[in-house]
Amino acid sequence: MKMSTGLLFLVKKTTTVKQLLLLVRNTTTVKQLGILLIQTNQQGSKPSYRFAVHDGILHTVQRSPFFKDIILTVGGWTFAIWKEGVTTGPILQSACSPKMYTAAQWSLSRAGIFFLGKEDGNIDVWDLLEKTHEPSQTQNISTAPITCIKPWIVTSKQHLLAVADDYGTLHILQIPWTLRHPSSHERLGIQHYFEREVKRLDYFTERKILHAKEKVQMEAEEQRKKNIILPPQKTEEQLDDELKTDYESYLTMEKNILTTLGIVTESEEKTQIAV
């Protein structure tokens, strides 16, 4: 099914406008927007936080259809999942993909699935309940970069996925049962997963702060040791003289004690000295 380049541009532009309208409508609640963590208010429009997460242009900022406080951002060769209100960073950040990501979309029927289009014409299917370090499936769609992904539910038994590429071609795919039918308590399981990731991020942040404090203390201790002036080392002759002096002091102290106790009298002492 072919589409003109102009119509494809309009579709992309419409999607962008919808995203921008969503962001404008939620400027008081949307805080984490990929590289920039933005919090707008009446006092000013400067960003409150900034994160260098993506290694390319950020082209997707999308809320989960199941969790309004979960946001997916995609740009360059990485994607990230954020939780609104968590200001220490993304709760999930991917490794760099061999190919650049060009489009993204959450699943409409399963809370833990999202689709990522790439520059080589492939689509990666990520299932967070199955894997979090690599895509669960990869499907080749075209030889051109993927430009737009849009799922659509026709009936409960028919879910479609519309995929557009850079050639202006629209591909209509049918989503299989395994990718459209949620497992038992899937939404609850995904919610618990996000909560665990938030706790992990908090623990990592606390450990990072603790390590930073320990590093400062160690550097201060090393600097203190450097500032201590060590006494010069003594020669062997000086050490012998000190030992001789200590021994003579010991003999004098011993004589005084024995004389005080009456064990040795002064006459006996003189006799011993004469002998």
Side-chain angles (χ1 to χ4, degrees):
M1 182 176 180
K2 295 286 184 178
M3 295 180 61
S4 65
T5 305
L7 183 58
L8 181 61
F9 175 77
L10 289 176
V11 172
K12 292 173 64 179
K13 185 176 180 180
T14 302
T15 304
T16 305
V17 169
K18 287 182 179 179
Q19 292 176 350
L20 291 177
L21 288 176
L22 177 62
L23 297 180
V24 171
R25 188 164 58 248
N26 296 300
T27 51
T28 58
T29 57
V30 175
K31 299 179 181 178
Q32 295 169 333
L33 304 180
I35 296 179
L36 287 180
L37 180 64
I38 298 177
Q39 181 179 4
T40 59
N41 47 46
Q42 296 179 355
Q43 286 73 23
S45 58
K46 294 183 179 180
S48 301
Y49 306 94
R50 184 180 185 277
F51 293 96
V53 174
H54 301 287
D55 50 4
I57 297 176
L58 187 67
H59 56 74
T60 299
V61 179
Q62 188 179 94
R63 288 184 180 272
S64 166
F66 296 90
F67 307 100
K68 296 306 180 183
D69 60 345
I70 297 297
I71 302 172
L72 171 67
T73 62
V74 184
W77 288 260
T78 61
F79 71 86
I81 295 179
W82 309 74
K83 183 175 176 63
E84 188 174 348
V86 178
T87 58
T88 51
I91 60 176
L92 176 63
Q93 182 177 353
S94 72
C96 290
S97 170
K99 300 294 181 179
M100 184 171 64
Y101 293 122
T102 54
Q105 183 69 42
W106 285 100
S107 170
L108 299 179
S109 57
R110 292 191 56 185
I113 286 183
F114 53 91
F115 307 95
L116 298 178
K118 299 192 293 186
E119 63 179 349
D120 58 355
N122 290 341
I123 286 184
D124 288 342
V125 182
W126 285 78
D127 186 351
L128 299 180
L129 281 182
E130 183 178 347
K131 299 177 182 179
T132 57
H133 65 285
E134 63 180 2
S136 300
Q137 299 181 30
T138 299
Q139 177 67 46
N140 179 257
I141 305 298
S142 173
T143 57
I146 304 299
T147 56
C148 186
I149 302 174
K150 183 67 177 179
W152 187 261
I153 299 177
V154 180
T155 64
S156 59
K157 296 183 179 180
Q158 187 178 30
H159 294 199
L160 302 179
L161 188 68
V163 181
D165 61 27
D166 200 45
Y167 289 154
T169 304
L170 178 64
H171 308 265
I172 304 297
L173 310 174
Q174 182 164 318
I175 300 177
W177 184 87
T178 55
L179 296 180
R180 71 170 186 263
H181 187 270
S183 59
S184 178
H185 306 296
E186 178 172 332
R187 181 171 180 174
L188 183 61
I190 290 296
Q191 182 178 353
H192 289 166
Y193 167 73
F194 289 146
E195 291 174 353
R196 290 194 302 270
E197 289 302 303
V198 171
K199 292 180 181 179
R200 178 193 62 81
L201 184 61
D202 291 341
Y203 173 78
F204 176 78
T205 304
E206 292 176 358
R207 296 297 299 175
K208 186 176 181 180
I209 295 174
L210 179 61
H211 288 325
K213 291 181 179 179
E214 292 177 348
K215 183 179 179 181
V216 171
Q217 293 175 355
M218 291 176 62
E219 291 177 351
E221 181 66 19
E222 291 179 358
Q223 187 65 29
R224 188 185 65 82
K225 291 180 179 179
K226 290 180 180 179
N227 295 334
I228 296 177
I229 301 177
L230 298 176
Q233 294 184 353
K234 299 178 180 179
T235 63
E236 293 184 0
E237 293 180 356
Q238 291 174 335
L239 293 175
D240 292 340
D241 292 340
E242 289 183 357
L243 291 174
K244 183 178 180 180
T245 303
D246 291 341
Y247 181 69
E248 291 176 352
S249 300
Y250 168 75
L251 291 178
T252 302
M253 181 180 64
E254 181 184 22
K255 181 186 67 174
N256 293 334
I257 294 174
L258 294 176
T259 303
T260 302
L261 295 176
I263 299 176
V264 177
T265 62
E266 293 182 1
S267 58
E268 291 179 352
E269 182 182 349
K270 293 179 179 180
T271 303
Q272 291 178 356
I273 294 174
V275 174

